[in-house]
Amino acid sequence: QVQFVESGGGLVQPGGSLRLSCAASGFTLSFYGMSWYRQAPGKERELVATLTPPGGSTNYADSVKGRFTISRVLNTVYLQMNSLKPEDTAVYYCNTRTPFDSWGQGTQVTVSS
């Protein structure tokens, strides 16, 4: 059974940092590109970052390039977020690059002073 459990969100001031974690199970992560997505209120879910095996190449949305870093250790996928902006406020989810139907509950990130 595919499962994603996201954590690490919270309230942070503009310019601050957060590190999100995603524990994934039910499939072999090393065979899949892994991604972080986010959904802000009233907006569609958008792709934020992708990590592609086997070489670990990464891709980022233009809006987060240079500020966010995706990585993976065993069955956990991370998103290091630096220099956070109010427009980064959203619920963040992880899934494979071609998403499974099953999504986790997400983790709320709020950037506000």
Side-chain angles (χ1 to χ4, degrees), residues 17 38-39 59 62 67 74 91:
S17 298
R38 67 185 181 187
Q39 187 167 19
N59 288 283
D62 287 344
R67 301 187 297 121
L74 298 178
V91 179

Side-chain angles (χ1 to χ4, degrees), residues 68-81:
F68 290 12
T69 303
I70 185 172
S71 61
R72 179 181 69 83
V73 177
L74 298 178
N75 290 346
T76 301
V77 184
Y78 300 96
L79 187 68
Q80 178 67 43
M81 307 187 297

